[in-house]
Amino acid sequence: MTVVAVTAHRTTPKGEEVHLNTPYVTALERAGLVPLVLPTSLTPANAGLALQAVSGLVLSGGEDVDPARYGARPHPELGRTDQVRDEMEATLTRAALAMRLPVLAICRGVQILNVALGGTLYQDLPSERPGPIGHDAGEHDVTVDPLSLLFRTVKAQHLRTNSRHHQALRDLAPPLTVVARAADGVVEGVELRQPEGQWLIGVQWHPEDMTDPSLFQAFAEAALGVQAVG
Ligand code: MN
């Protein structure tokens, strides 16, 4: 059994509730993994401890990241944010890297990954980086660096992906390198500049809602490797 942690968002319609879209669970189970959801409001200290019980980390999609985390003032079109989730996931990200746990970061996940490691974001893509591609809803092509782990994983230099993100990576965190972009230049995929035995892929699209299982399968293989060593 290979268990991986998955982050989630919280809503407060009637008391606070933790939510994770079921396609994440399905995609991870199909790859042979057992996903465990980490409560959004778990204390950062316990979030770090929780990683000791798992073989990988999935940073899932969700709301915008608070620009205060990278020293920017809020843009008028900034969406909903959750500072508690930001702090918990930033802690998780740094702990996972320190432990060399495999990390799969999806949509908001790649954004908090970048911010946690020292990068910044476009807070409102349509106004701060206007272009011909609508990233907020729909599909677009993505070009993948043929020398990347992402390319070896999806085995394609051109992908048609879904796209439903409001924010995007701006200044890249020093440990990361861009391995996929949309035709307008928006960053769609990152990995570690110097992996040194660590598996990490971040994508701006939602592979859990697509038919290609390759990202989840590769993540599962990496997690299995951690388990074998552990
Ligand atoms: Mn996009």
Side-chain angles (χ1 to χ4, degrees):
M1 180 181 69
T2 307
V3 181
V4 296
V6 188
T7 62
H9 71 277
R10 55 182 190 161
T11 58
T12 51
K14 26 180 185 155
E16 188 179 302
E17 298 171 354
V18 174
H19 290 261
L20 178 70
N21 293 346
T22 302
Y24 289 104
V25 178
T26 308
L28 290 163
E29 285 201 295
R30 281 189 181 143
L33 296 167
V34 179
L36 288 188
V37 178
L38 297 183
T40 318
S41 52
L42 194 62
T43 59
N46 277 341
L49 287 174
L51 289 185
Q52 294 180 12
V54 300
S55 302
L57 171 66
V58 179
L59 295 166
S60 63
E63 59 275 86
D64 287 354
V65 175
D66 187 339
R69 287 207 74 87
Y70 47 92
R73 276 198 288 237
H75 185 282
E77 296 301 320
L78 177 69
R80 194 168 59 87
T81 61
D82 184 342
Q83 291 180 336
V84 169
R85 182 179 184 187
D86 290 348
E87 176 64 20
M88 195 274 237
E89 291 188 341
T91 303
L92 274 177
T93 299
R94 291 189 292 260
L97 288 176
M99 297 166 70
R100 294 196 180 176
L101 279 185
V103 176
L104 178 58
I106 293 172
C107 200
R108 168 200 154 85
V110 73
Q111 296 164 6
I112 191 70
L113 167 77
N114 187 50
V115 171
L117 300 180
T120 68
L121 303 177
Y122 292 105
Q123 296 184 43
D124 177 61
L125 202 46
S127 67
E128 293 186 297
R129 203 182 183 293
I133 296 177
H135 288 271
D136 54 338
E139 294 186 345
H140 60 66
D141 292 329
V142 167
T143 301
V144 179
D145 178 348
L147 299 177
S148 64
L149 171 63
L150 179 61
F151 176 81
R152 296 197 298 280
T153 301
V154 299
K155 295 181 174 60
Q157 203 171 346
H158 300 283
L159 295 174
R160 187 75 181 167
T161 68
N162 55 25
S163 186
R164 49 173 202 271
H165 53 109
H166 174 226
Q167 303 196 308
L169 273 55
R170 188 171 199 152
D171 302 309
L172 200 65
L176 300 177
T177 184
V178 174
V179 295
R181 288 186 193 269
D184 59 3
V186 166
V187 174
E188 292 280 340
V190 300
E191 53 197 56
L192 288 172
R193 192 176 294 280
Q194 295 177 307
E196 291 166 354
Q198 160 120 40
W199 192 97
L200 178 149
I201 291 179
V203 294
Q204 189 57 75
W205 64 91
H206 285 275
E208 78 280 10
D209 289 330
M210 294 167 64
T211 52
D212 176 11
S214 59
L215 269 171
F216 292 99
Q217 286 173 348
F219 174 63
E221 280 172 30
L224 199 61
V226 167
Q227 192 186 38
V229 172

